[in-house]
Amino acid sequence: MMDSKIILFQTCGFHFLFLFLHSAYGDMSYSFPEEMKRGSVIGNMAKDLGLDRGALSDRRARIDTDGTDTRYCDINLNNGELIVADRIDREGLCGEKASCILKHELVLENPLELHRISLHIQDINDNSPQFKEDFINIEIRESADRGARFVIEEAHDADVGQNSVQQYNLKNNDNFILAVDENTIELVLEKELDREKQQEINLLLTALDGGSPQRSGTVVIHVTVLDANDNAPVFSQAVYKASLPENSPVDTVVVTVSATDADEGVNGDVTYEFGHVTDDVKNIFSIDRKEGQIQIIGDIDYETTTSFEIRVKAKDGLGLSSYAKVIISITDVNDNAPVVNLKSLTNPIPENVSPGTEVGIINVQDRDSENNRQVRCSIQQNVPFKLVPSIKNYYSLVTTGQLDRELVSDYNITISATDEGSPPLSSSKTVQLSVADINDNPPVFEEQSYSAYVSENNKPGSTLCSVTARDPDWRQNGTVIYSLLPGEVNGAPVSSYLSVNGDTGVIHAVRSFDYEQFRSFKVHVTARDNGSPPLSSNVTVSVFVSDVNDNSPQILYPAPEGNSFMTELVPKAAHGGSLVSKVIAVDADSGQNAWLSYHIVKSTDPGLFTIGLHSGEIRTQRDISESDSMKQNLIVAVKDNGQPSLSATCSMYLLISDNLAEVPELKDISYDEKNSKLTSYLIIALVSVSTFFLTFIIIILGVRFCRSRKPRLLFDGAVAIPSAYLPPTYADVDGTGTLRSAYNYDAYLTTGSRTSDFKFVSSYNDNTLPADQTLRKSPSDFADVFGDCNGSPEVGTCFISSVPNV
């Protein structure tokens, strides 16, 4: 027996052995006491599984819960120890159940392994026995017989087993003793009551548990002595059972209990109330004191509690009572949709991963039971991924085809989970996956080839064109750098002609181009990305140089040198339209810049001669008369068709005579208005000196003329010269380049040179004329070619005449 005013509380430490079990299916079991501190070691899982400590971190080891959102333990990846992660209260988790087991799972990846962990929570004596009330009022009639029994509600201890209530002690008194039979506690009247002596009796009842240290709880039993009430209420059945679907609406009647009392009047009035129940039960159920109906007043969730055991008390008007048990079973309703949890995800994924690569682990949970808990998991169509069932409710997300970031860079994968309840419930989760780029695409030019057009004489640094290449890769793999492929243009490095901007692809001219040197050339541009290894592609750029009118016409005939002269003989009998001579010119430009036109800008007799606008042929406009001056000087201008137009001029000297004897002088017959007087004096002097010499020549020519059979015409009907004075042979030279007509060279020799006739064959074309030279020739140049005319058998003077061959 213990004093009623003293409650002893003692504490001491617990030491438990940890039990580890292996099963053929990878199950592990640990046993440890409740209320261990956070961080306390439960066991070493790495050692128990035979794994290296580093393997847990490498394989992303983690603890997953089964059917609950609370995780009570965790794993230390550094040493493999299983530690307490949250407060573990066995009474709060398992209530009055004798066995309290928490289900956890150890998940290992690469490869995926699942080990079930059973945590056996052992009870410690952390709860003292408690009575429902601090005072128990009992009214007993004094007529109660000795040995009468009065049921007392037992004390409740949240602990189980040896730590629960093990014994009761009643403080010594004169009237009552305590009888304990299993869970029934009864006061036994040992000595009859005498209301006249004692109307009230206070008894101290102590409940003791079996823990160490031992805990206790007390209640004061207040006995009121009344007149006789010798019948307690009696329930219709000792145990009431009911089945209730979860989520049943409020005010639903679960069960009705009924008790009867044989007494009459107040002694037979029965009322009902709950015995010792938890606060959770009080928040969910209520009992009608008069009718005994148990109704729902709160929410019922199967996933929280699957059954309730309620103790109901029936009490008559004078305090006699009896107890019955009500067991309410909760049936499951499919009210929980599956939950899709993403446990692991590799993100981003390289686009070159092979089909079948695992990129994520999905876990599906449904808190319902039986068929309501069976879940089918599926993935949306038209994505290169699928779900592969793995262990238990785990799925692996794997690739089914080749990925290409350039086609699809991101995937939103919707995973749907549907249970087999009626009606079925479903949920979905969207997983976002990015595809990481690899350098698998070379730059591609927008065009197969490029053409650039530039006018000659361009400024160095001017822009020719721009090349553009696209690379669908990302970031540095798609960054394009341009460069010129090494090569040569006309024997010089390509870099001395062009440069390319490495970032923009704009091609610039390094120097000025000359159309007359080259008209086009090709270079190769390389586009390279910044990937590793880099990829590249080439494109051909054709550069076309367009002509600019930067070259004046060049007169080939007559020779433009001022220290030489070339004279044409025109027969006196020439009719209008007769071909007299031809001006030959070329232009180094091309196209319309090389289209030449000929104009007589000045002449001795403006109405006597005309020149072909495009042919350069000089013809007579009318018949030659006796009044026309023997010496005719023409200044011819040759113009091109460029913008602006360029031109060149030359002087053409013509002698109107039928034979050389009539020519007074040959050395200076140029026309110069500014020095006309000086020229006249010089001509007079020259004629005086040459008269004797010409007289001698005329005599010789006369002798030759008499010997010849008949005169011969050499000027195509334009000018008639006796063959006694001029050889009948001449050389034909075809025009080339810009010379559109063939022209002939006739050699005129002095009298007596007939036996020394020669043919002059030479053509002016690109094969014989370098680009930096001209066709201008003076009489001295021709003398170098043909030799000295004095080398002929007869001494004389040599003349060269050019007559176009129309």
Side-chain angles (χ1 to χ4, degrees):
M1 303 295 292
M2 303 177 62
D3 194 305
S4 62
K5 299 184 181 285
I6 300 176
I7 302 176
L8 298 178
F9 297 95
Q10 298 179 345
T11 59
C12 65
F14 266 85
H15 298 278
F16 293 86
L17 293 177
F18 302 145
L19 176 62
F20 172 78
L21 297 176
H22 277 295
S23 70
Y25 300 94
D27 292 345
M28 293 183 292
S29 178
Y30 294 90
S31 179
F32 59 96
E34 65 175 326
E35 302 293 348
M36 291 182 70
K37 293 182 178 180
R38 289 182 176 88
S40 298
V41 178
I42 299 173
N44 193 308
M45 302 187 70
K47 180 179 179 182
D48 297 337
L49 291 174
L51 298 175
D52 295 334
R53 295 181 179 180
L56 295 177
S57 178
D58 294 340
R59 297 181 64 183
R60 301 181 185 178
R62 61 181 177 273
I63 300 297
D64 280 351
T65 60
D66 185 9
T68 178
D69 295 332
T70 304
R71 185 177 60 192
Y72 293 97
C73 62
D74 204 348
I75 185 170
N76 189 329
L77 297 179
N78 295 326
N79 52 29
E81 292 178 345
L82 183 66
I83 60 176
V84 177
D86 200 357
R87 176 176 178 263
I88 300 177
D89 182 12
R90 192 205 65 81
E91 288 75 26
L93 294 174
C94 302
E96 297 179 358
K97 294 180 180 179
S99 176
C100 185
I101 301 175
L102 297 180
K103 298 293 185 179
H104 283 47
E105 293 174 344
L106 173 64
V107 180
L108 299 174
E109 298 182 13
N110 298 321
L112 179 64
E113 292 183 15
L114 183 66
H115 298 275
R116 289 184 290 271
I117 304 173
S118 297
L119 302 178
H120 296 264
I121 310 303
Q122 295 182 349
D123 182 52
I124 63 173
N125 193 25
D126 58 341
N127 292 281
S128 300
Q130 290 183 348
F131 290 91
K132 178 184 177 183
E133 300 171 342
D134 294 334
F135 293 91
I136 298 176
N137 294 315
I138 299 178
E139 295 176 348
I140 303 176
R141 289 189 178 275
E142 62 180 5
S143 60
D145 296 333
R146 182 180 178 181
R149 294 175 176 266
F150 304 94
V151 178
I152 304 299
E153 185 176 2
E154 72 272 21
H156 176 74
D157 193 334
D159 296 324
V160 296
Q162 190 67 25
N163 296 325
S164 63
V165 177
Q166 299 295 317
Q167 59 179 338
Y168 293 89
N169 291 330
L170 184 63
K171 185 179 179 181
N172 293 333
N173 62 88
D174 296 331
N175 299 97
F176 298 92
I177 61 174
L178 191 64
V180 179
D181 181 17
E182 294 182 355
N183 292 327
T184 302
I185 306 173
E186 295 178 322
L187 285 176
V188 179
L189 184 60
E190 190 176 47
K191 180 180 178 182
E192 291 83 1
L193 300 174
D194 187 356
R195 185 176 178 276
E196 284 68 25
K197 291 182 179 180
Q198 189 175 8
Q199 295 183 358
E200 297 179 351
I201 301 173
N202 289 325
L203 305 176
L204 182 61
L205 178 62
T206 302
L208 300 173
D209 62 21
S212 178
Q214 190 176 52
R215 294 177 179 269
S216 63
T218 60
V219 65
V220 175
I221 303 175
H222 181 76
V223 178
T224 300
V225 181
L226 299 175
D227 287 334
N229 180 24
D230 54 355
N231 291 288
V234 177
F235 281 97
S236 60
Q237 57 190 70
V239 177
Y240 293 87
K241 294 183 179 181
S243 179
L244 182 68
E246 65 173 328
N247 302 328
S248 294
V250 176
D251 295 334
T252 298
V253 177
V254 180
V255 66
T256 300
V257 297
S258 176
T260 58
D261 193 314
D263 296 324
E264 294 181 355
V266 175
N267 296 330
D269 293 337
V270 178
T271 59
Y272 304 93
E273 63 183 32
F274 288 140
H276 182 83
V277 293
T278 63
D279 292 337
D280 291 339
V281 173
K282 293 179 181 179
N283 293 331
I284 297 175
F285 300 101
S286 67
I287 188 169
D288 187 278
R289 292 180 58 84
K290 294 294 184 179
E291 302 297 331
Q293 290 181 345
I294 297 177
Q295 293 179 318
I296 298 174
I297 61 173
D299 296 330
I300 298 178
D301 188 4
Y302 174 86
E303 288 70 40
T304 301
T305 305
T306 60
S307 64
F308 294 92
E309 188 173 309
I310 303 175
R311 195 170 181 83
V312 179
K313 176 181 179 180
K315 179 181 178 182
D316 61 20
L318 295 180
L320 295 181
S321 60
S322 60
Y323 294 87
K325 183 184 296 186
V326 178
I327 300 175
I328 302 174
S329 298
I330 308 301
T331 59
D332 183 43
V333 173
N334 191 28
D335 59 342
N336 291 280
V339 178
V340 180
N341 299 310
L342 181 62
K343 295 298 184 180
S344 177
L345 183 66
T346 301
N347 197 14
I349 312 168
E351 62 178 321
N352 62 341
V353 296
S354 58
T357 301
E358 181 182 88
V359 298
I361 296 176
I362 307 298
N363 176 257
V364 182
Q365 296 283 350
D366 193 317
R367 298 182 64 190
D368 295 321
S369 63
E370 297 180 356
N371 289 339
N372 296 333
R373 191 174 187 176
Q374 300 301 317
V375 178
R376 299 187 307 274
C377 209
S378 61
I379 196 170
Q380 67 180 22
Q381 301 298 323
N382 299 325
V383 292
F385 300 93
K386 68 177 181 179
L387 287 177
V388 177
S390 185
I391 303 172
K392 198 180 177 181
N393 52 352
Y394 282 85
Y395 295 84
S396 295
L397 181 63
V398 299
T399 60
T400 59
Q402 191 67 44
L403 304 180
D404 189 347
R405 192 203 68 83
E406 287 70 44
L407 295 178
V408 181
S409 59
D410 295 282
Y411 290 94
N412 289 326
I413 304 171
T414 301
I415 300 173
S416 301
T418 304
D419 61 28
E420 296 185 359
S422 181
L425 300 179
S426 62
S427 63
S428 62
K429 185 177 185 65
T430 301
V431 178
Q432 294 183 343
L433 279 175
S434 298
V435 182
D437 183 55
I438 64 170
N439 193 26
D440 58 347
N441 290 281
V444 177
F445 285 95
E446 291 184 347
E447 299 181 17
Q448 294 183 352
S449 63
Y450 291 84
S451 297
Y453 299 90
V454 58
S455 299
E456 64 174 329
N457 305 325
N458 60 292
K459 293 182 179 180
S462 59
T463 299
L464 300 187
C465 69
S466 177
V467 297
T468 304
R470 306 293 182 186
D471 195 320
D473 292 324
W474 194 45
R475 290 186 176 176
Q476 65 178 16
N477 293 333
T479 301
V480 180
I481 300 174
Y482 303 93
S483 62
L484 287 175
L485 200 64
E488 292 186 352
V489 176
N490 289 346
V494 68
S495 58
S496 65
Y497 288 87
L498 301 177
S499 67
V500 62
N501 189 304
D503 297 325
T504 63
V506 177
I507 298 177
H508 301 276
V510 174
R511 67 179 184 182
S512 179
F513 299 138
D514 187 358
Y515 176 83
E516 286 69 43
Q517 290 185 1
F518 55 85
R519 301 184 179 183
S520 66
F521 61 92
K522 293 183 179 180
V523 297
H524 299 282
V525 177
T526 298
R528 174 180 58 83
D529 59 30
N530 249 346
S532 179
L535 301 177
S536 63
S537 60
N538 300 332
V539 71
T540 300
V541 179
S542 299
V543 180
F544 298 95
V545 182
S546 59
D547 183 46
V548 173
N549 192 28
D550 58 346
N551 291 280
S552 300
Q554 184 178 3
I555 299 175
L556 303 180
Y557 182 84
E561 283 82 352
N563 58 354
S564 63
F565 65 92
M566 301 189 73
T567 305
E568 300 285 352
L569 293 180
V570 180
K572 291 181 178 181
H575 298 286
S578 298
L579 178 62
V580 174
S581 185
K582 181 175 182 179
V583 178
I584 302 173
V586 294
D587 195 315
D589 294 321
S590 66
Q592 67 176 8
N593 295 329
W595 296 351
L596 302 180
S597 60
Y598 301 85
H599 309 273
I600 297 176
V601 297
K602 191 173 184 180
S603 64
T604 302
D605 188 349
L608 183 56
F609 297 101
T610 183
I611 190 169
L613 180 63
H614 299 294
S615 64
E617 295 177 346
I618 299 176
R619 296 178 181 270
T620 57
Q621 294 191 73
R622 58 178 174 80
D623 296 341
I624 295 177
S625 64
E626 292 295 335
S627 62
D628 292 328
S629 174
M630 177 184 296
K631 295 179 292 184
Q632 295 288 331
N633 185 14
L634 302 179
I635 298 178
V636 178
V638 182
K639 297 182 180 180
D640 60 26
N641 199 37
Q643 292 294 332
S645 177
L646 301 178
S647 64
T649 60
C650 68
S651 296
M652 176 69 71
Y653 303 103
L654 303 175
L655 291 178
I656 301 176
S657 176
D658 289 333
N659 53 64
L660 295 177
E662 298 177 359
V663 180
E665 69 270 347
L666 297 174
K667 291 297 183 181
D668 190 2
I669 57 175
S670 62
Y671 181 81
D672 190 349
E673 291 183 350
K674 294 181 179 180
N675 300 320
S676 59
K677 292 183 179 181
L678 179 60
T679 302
S680 299
Y681 293 147
L682 292 175
I683 292 174
I684 293 172
L686 180 60
V687 170
S688 299
V689 174
S690 303
T691 300
F692 176 77
F693 179 75
L694 290 176
T695 302
F696 177 76
I697 293 177
I698 292 172
I699 295 172
I700 296 176
L701 291 175
V703 175
R704 292 286 185 183
F705 181 79
C706 292
R707 291 181 181 179
S708 62
R709 301 177 189 177
K710 58 180 179 179
R712 301 178 64 181
L713 297 179
L714 302 176
F715 272 44
D716 192 21
V719 180
I721 301 295
S723 61
Y725 294 95
L726 300 175
T729 56
Y730 59 92
D732 293 338
V733 181
D734 292 334
T736 58
T738 60
L739 304 180
R740 300 307 179 190
S741 302
Y743 56 91
N744 304 325
Y745 286 102
D746 294 342
Y748 299 91
L749 305 179
T750 59
T751 305
S753 302
R754 187 170 184 178
T755 59
S756 302
D757 293 347
F758 64 92
K759 177 173 282 192
F760 171 49
V761 181
S762 177
S763 63
Y764 299 116
N765 53 38
D766 293 339
N767 296 327
T768 61
L769 179 63
D772 56 351
Q773 297 182 7
T774 68
L775 295 178
R776 294 176 293 182
K777 298 295 181 179
S778 65
S780 60
D781 296 330
F782 290 115
D784 295 336
V785 177
F786 301 116
D788 191 358
C789 293
N790 294 331
S792 61
E794 298 180 15
V795 179
T797 304
C798 178
F799 296 89
I800 297 178
S801 175
S802 172
V803 180
N805 183 18
V806 181

